[in-house]
């Protein structure tokens, strides 16, 4: 089976199922195992019924017509996405040998496939219509932008007054006022359509209950928030790049209007963070030719995995376009010219001292930057009292790990991979330390995800 002339091979499908349990779900390649009524279509869909132990077999469908990767649907109760049945079905199909023959899709599979493709078509049409509508009346768009800017300015001015009142009354009083005052202030920023200011206000409210030393942390964050307020209120005086960064930080959305850059992009890491309302996926890519890292951000409703799903260690031939803003790493994934494939490619690394200098330089373009992507070359994880650090194997410098990284299972995978020897580690380097996300052994070997 092919899609637009590109065949999904067994190796490419195996890359989507890195754990042994997922591979076992499909049984031996070329053997149907617990599957029945399996089939595939020339349009790029695979389906089957899997006897998963319940009273009724699970209806499983995989749509591989999209070059960005498969989409999945399964009737099992698994919280994993994709589940082992979807991966098992892909493995059967990739094995060939006629186990998954060409056939007409049953009604239950056809309904899901047709519905998904109809929604995708509506989304494309809506995007095209929206673009046309956005340019149809530029005067109306300008008035809307001015009205929103006015609301944000009013919100930033009010927030400045509240910060002034806090400092005049003393930081000690922040512990007694409780979280309600901060939440009420954040709600005022939401009303002003300044979601970025609202998020930072909520973070301020959590600091007084964050343990010893909280007054120092509160003062630091108040200073950064004051700087952002002043940046917005004086944005006309800023350089274009920094002004774009300020607009993004206060919550004004922008499109990825940078030029499309085609490269062979290595998937450095992928991890999700969640709150009660939203799941955020962060995917770091490294361009082999451009020697740069870019960040793909995507969002999904709480409990739902966002797209795209790009396993660590794959490489894709694709275009990305950058978002506006000085020093911004965020980009949007554009046209993909082939499915992701496994690769031995590794990013270029730097020393720990070079990483610290790089973060300092990035702060000049974006003072609110929490961290930057960094690949450390030839470092060894070593304990430092109750904490851990990554020490240069060929020097006398080191970077401390963030407190959160020291409590994750990935730290022990990193220690086991190193075994006291130098390794290459990719992660995020910021003012709180270094968060390792992926590592490679000193010799040949695949990337090891640490998150």
């Amino acid at each position: 089976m092919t899609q637009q002339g590109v065949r999904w091979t067994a190796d490419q499908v195996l890359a989507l199922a890195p754990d042994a349990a997922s591979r076992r779900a499909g049984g031996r390649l070329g053997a149907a195992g617990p599957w029945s009524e399996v089939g595939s279509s020339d349009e790029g869909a695979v389906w089957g019924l899997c006897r998963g132990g319940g009273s009724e077999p699970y209806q499983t469908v995989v749509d591989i017509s999209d070059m960005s990767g498969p989409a999945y649907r399964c009737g099992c109760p698994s919280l994993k996405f994709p589940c082992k049945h979807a991966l098992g079905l892909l493995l059967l199909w990739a094995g060939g040998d006629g186990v998954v023959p060409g056939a007409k899709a049953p009604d239950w599979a056809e309904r899901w496939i047709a519905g998904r493709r109809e929604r995708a078509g509506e989304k494309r049409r809506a995007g095209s219509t929206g673009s046309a509508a956005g340019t149809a009346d530029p005067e109306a768009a300008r008035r809307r932008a001015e009205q929103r800017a006015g609301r944000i300015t009013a919100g930033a001015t009010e927030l400045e007054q509240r910060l002034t009142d806090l400092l005049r009354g003393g930081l000690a009083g922040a512990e007694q006022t409780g979280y309600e005052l901060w939440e009420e202030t954040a709600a005022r920023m939401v009303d002003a359509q300044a979601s970025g200011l609202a998020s930072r206000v909520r973070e301020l409210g959590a600091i007084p209950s964050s343990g010893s030393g909280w007054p120092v942390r509160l003062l630091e964050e108040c200073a950064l928030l004051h700087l952002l307020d002043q940046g917005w209120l004086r944005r006309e005086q800023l350089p274009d790049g920094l002004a774009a960064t300020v607009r993004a930080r206060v919550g004004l959305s922008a499109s990825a209007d940078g030029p499309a850059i085609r490269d062979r992009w290595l998937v450095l890491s992928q991890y999700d963070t969640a709150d009660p309302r939203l799941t955020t996926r962060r995917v770091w890519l490294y361009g082999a030719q451009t020697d740069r890292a870019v960040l793909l951000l995507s969002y999904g409703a709480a409990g739902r995995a966002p797209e795209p799903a790009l396993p660590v260690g794959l490489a894709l031939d694709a275009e990305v376009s950058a978002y506006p803003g000085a020093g911004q790493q965020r980009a949007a994934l554009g046209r993909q010219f082939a499915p992701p494939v496994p690769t031995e490619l590794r990013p270029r690394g730097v020393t720990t001292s070079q990483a610290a200098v790089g973060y300092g330089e990035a702060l000049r373009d974006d003072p609110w930057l929490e961290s930057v992507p960094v690949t450390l070359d030839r470092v060894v994880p070593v304990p430092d009292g109750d904490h851990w650090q990554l020490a240069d194997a060929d020097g006398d410098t080191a970077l401390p790990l963030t407190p959160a990284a020291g409590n994750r299972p990935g730290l022990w995978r990193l220690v086991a991979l190193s075994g006291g020897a130098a390794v290459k580690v990719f992660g995020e380097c910021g003012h709180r330390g270094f968060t390792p996300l992926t590592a490679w052994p000193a010799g040949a070997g695949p990337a090891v995800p640490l998150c």
Side-chain angles (χ1 to χ4, degrees):
M1 186 186 303
T2 62
Q3 52 165 339
Q4 301 181 22
V6 179
R7 180 174 179 83
W8 284 72
T9 67
D11 287 341
Q12 294 162 357
V13 173
L14 283 170
L16 296 172
D19 56 282
S22 297
R23 293 191 178 104
R24 288 196 300 269
R28 179 176 58 84
L29 291 180
W35 292 91
S36 61
E37 298 186 29
V38 293
S40 62
S41 70
D42 292 336
E43 290 76 22
V46 189
W47 58 84
L49 298 176
C50 183
R51 296 184 297 276
S55 57
E56 296 292 334
Y58 299 134
Q59 298 176 346
T60 307
V61 194
V62 181
D63 186 0
I64 54 177
S65 62
D66 192 339
M67 288 290 288
S68 62
Y72 315 90
R73 184 265 186 190
C74 184
C76 74
S78 174
L79 297 179
K80 293 185 176 181
F81 186 85
C83 68
K84 64 181 181 180
H85 307 101
L87 290 173
L89 183 60
L90 269 178
L91 290 169
L92 283 178
W93 169 78
D97 301 331
V99 176
V100 183
K104 184 181 184 299
D107 290 342
W108 54 269
E110 182 61 34
R111 284 195 299 270
W112 179 80
I113 296 169
R116 179 180 181 274
R117 295 179 181 175
E118 181 180 355
R119 290 190 296 273
E122 291 175 352
K123 186 176 180 181
R124 287 193 294 270
R125 289 191 295 272
S128 175
T129 303
S131 299
T135 57
D137 191 352
E139 181 61 25
R142 184 188 63 80
R143 288 196 300 268
R144 288 193 298 269
E146 288 181 350
Q147 291 171 357
R148 182 175 183 185
R151 286 190 288 268
I152 295 176
T153 297
T157 303
E158 178 183 345
L159 183 55
E160 281 291 275
Q161 185 59 53
R162 296 206 175 193
L163 290 175
T164 300
D165 294 342
L166 170 66
L167 295 178
R168 282 177 177 170
L171 295 180
E175 195 170 23
Q176 282 73 44
T177 57
Y179 188 75
E180 291 75 13
L181 178 61
W182 297 104
E183 183 58 37
E184 188 259 335
T185 304
R188 296 281 294 169
M189 296 304 104
V190 172
D191 293 341
Q193 295 184 286
S195 58
L197 295 179
S199 298
R200 287 188 169 270
V201 169
R202 290 192 175 98
E203 292 173 1
L204 285 180
I207 292 177
S209 58
S210 61
S212 62
W214 66 264
V216 175
R217 293 192 294 274
L218 181 59
L219 183 60
E220 291 173 347
E221 294 302 322
C222 284
L224 285 172
L225 185 52
H226 168 69
L227 182 64
L228 183 56
D229 279 340
Q230 290 299 313
W232 172 261
L233 296 174
R234 305 180 187 185
R235 59 192 181 280
E236 292 83 3
Q237 305 172 25
L238 300 178
D240 292 342
L242 184 56
T245 299
V246 169
R247 288 193 291 269
R249 290 294 182 182
V250 300
L252 284 176
S253 59
S255 59
D257 55 4
I261 302 174
R262 182 176 178 179
D263 203 337
R264 187 183 179 207
W265 297 97
L266 167 66
V267 183
L268 290 176
S269 76
Q270 173 184 291
Y271 67 94
D272 297 348
T273 56
D275 59 35
R277 295 169 295 179
L278 193 68
T279 300
T280 303
R281 171 161 293 170
R282 298 168 64 90
V283 179
W284 284 107
L285 304 178
Y286 171 77
Q289 297 177 353
T290 56
D291 189 29
R292 60 177 295 189
V294 298
L295 174 65
L296 306 182
L297 273 180
S298 56
Y299 304 93
R304 297 291 300 273
E307 294 183 355
L310 297 172
V312 173
L314 298 188
L316 58 156
D317 182 6
E319 293 177 340
V320 302
S321 298
Y323 281 82
Q328 294 293 303
Q329 286 97 20
R330 187 184 177 189
L333 184 62
R335 182 183 177 189
Q336 298 184 52
F337 301 92
V341 295
T343 181
E344 296 296 324
L345 176 66
R346 297 184 182 187
R348 183 179 62 86
V350 299
T351 64
T352 56
S353 59
Q354 289 172 331
V357 170
Y359 176 59
E361 292 176 345
L363 289 177
R364 293 184 302 187
D365 294 327
D366 185 352
W368 307 276
L369 193 63
E370 289 288 326
S371 60
V372 293
V374 170
T375 301
L376 298 176
D377 204 9
R378 291 188 51 76
V379 290
V380 181
V382 295
D384 179 25
D386 295 333
H387 307 284
W388 284 80
Q389 61 183 2
L390 293 177
D392 274 315
D394 306 316
D396 55 358
T397 59
L399 279 178
L401 298 189
T402 58
N407 298 323
R408 294 175 181 171
L411 170 62
W412 305 113
R413 288 200 294 271
L414 175 59
V415 173
L417 179 69
S418 167
V423 292
K424 176 171 285 192
V425 183
F426 169 78
E428 296 172 348
C429 179
H431 62 95
R432 293 186 178 89
F434 186 87
T435 301
L437 300 175
T438 306
W440 294 263
V448 177
L450 305 176
C451 57

